[in-house]
Amino acid sequence: MIAIIDYGSGNLRSAAKAFERCVQETGLSEEVVVTSDPDVAAKADRIVLPGVGAFKDCKDGLQSVSGMTEALTEAVLGRGVPFFGICVGMQLMASRSLEYGETDGLGWIGGSVSPLELSDPTLKIPHMGWNELEMTSDHVLLEGLADGDHIYFVHSYHVVTEDPSHVLATVNYGGTVTAIIGRDNMIGTQFHPEKSQSAGLKLISNFLNWKP
């Protein structure tokens, strides 16, 4: 069972539809469940954490679901359940965010959620629209993806990791912007795979078949 976590943030239906499509196309039998029940999350075989908006609002929303943070931590860190964070769901994996003050993250990947710093004053923040992937890793989850694949962003902050090896791919937007992070049984994308057409669906399919 693939649990997409509902904590009041994220385009849940779009994410669920993308995962359901990839389950069908890859011939798998997993059920995709959108849930705010920590008991369901704790038993899941794979976990997806979407998120849109401000980091603090998302963190507060997650903590407001009684027992959910503990269930996710036990599943992901304790049992090694494959985890996929999307947009702010990815940012929540970091140690902290510097958006509107400092807010603690889950601390699963060391680093800070920092504002985009653009060298080109003609570029706008938020970074919104399509951009081209630049691979920095040969991680198995990137199989079938390539430099130049187009992915869709809507964000003003990104994760700056303490360990550069945790950055799996970047894009260029007035400088280097983190696109994908990961370690162990965890992956996160700053972009929206459910809106990124073939590249996004390929990444989701890879995640569904991943055995970290």
Side-chain angles (χ1 to χ4, degrees):
M1 182 260 291
I2 302 157
I4 298 181
I5 306 303
D6 179 4
Y7 58 105
S9 177
N11 193 343
L12 299 175
R13 189 59 203 144
S14 292
K17 286 177 66 176
F19 276 81
E20 287 166 356
R21 174 179 173 179
C22 289
V23 165
Q24 183 178 25
E25 290 182 351
T26 53
L28 299 173
S29 59
E30 279 84 351
E31 180 183 11
V32 178
V33 176
V34 176
T35 184
S36 58
D37 185 340
D39 291 334
V40 174
K43 298 173 184 176
D45 300 296
R46 297 179 190 274
I47 294 173
V48 181
L49 185 68
V52 295
F55 183 100
K56 187 177 188 305
D57 291 342
C58 290
K59 179 68 184 302
D60 289 347
L62 188 61
Q63 289 185 314
S64 72
V65 182
S66 179
M68 183 60 80
T69 300
E70 293 79 6
L72 295 179
T73 300
E74 171 56 27
V76 177
L77 300 187
R79 292 200 294 118
V81 171
F83 174 89
F84 196 143
I86 298 174
C87 198
V88 182
M90 162 183 144
Q91 295 179 2
L92 287 167
M93 299 162 69
S95 306
R96 62 175 186 159
S97 172
L98 304 178
E99 183 179 10
Y100 305 123
E102 185 172 327
T103 305
D104 288 340
L106 295 170
W108 295 352
I109 291 183
S112 298
V113 180
S114 302
L116 298 177
E117 297 181 357
L118 309 183
S119 60
D120 183 347
T122 66
L123 296 175
K124 295 181 179 179
I125 294 179
H127 172 208
M128 187 182 319
W130 296 91
N131 209 318
E132 297 181 356
L133 272 177
E134 298 178 0
M135 304 300 182
T136 59
S137 168
D138 59 357
H139 196 287
V140 64
L141 284 177
L142 305 181
E143 183 178 351
L145 298 173
D147 289 341
D149 281 348
H150 286 81
I151 50 177
Y152 189 81
F153 288 86
V154 182
H155 69 122
S156 302
Y157 289 75
H158 71 141
V159 177
V160 179
T161 63
E162 294 172 0
D163 184 342
S165 71
H166 292 158
V167 177
L168 308 184
T170 63
V171 296
N172 186 286
Y173 188 73
T176 300
V177 175
T178 302
I180 306 175
I181 62 173
R183 75 171 181 89
D184 302 330
N185 55 311
M186 296 172 272
I187 184 175
T189 61
Q190 183 59 66
F191 59 90
H192 288 270
E194 75 278 12
K195 297 180 180 179
S196 297
Q197 300 182 358
S198 59
L201 294 176
K202 179 59 179 172
L203 183 59
I204 291 172
S205 295
N206 288 348
F207 173 76
L208 295 176
N209 287 290
W210 187 31
K211 296 178 174 60

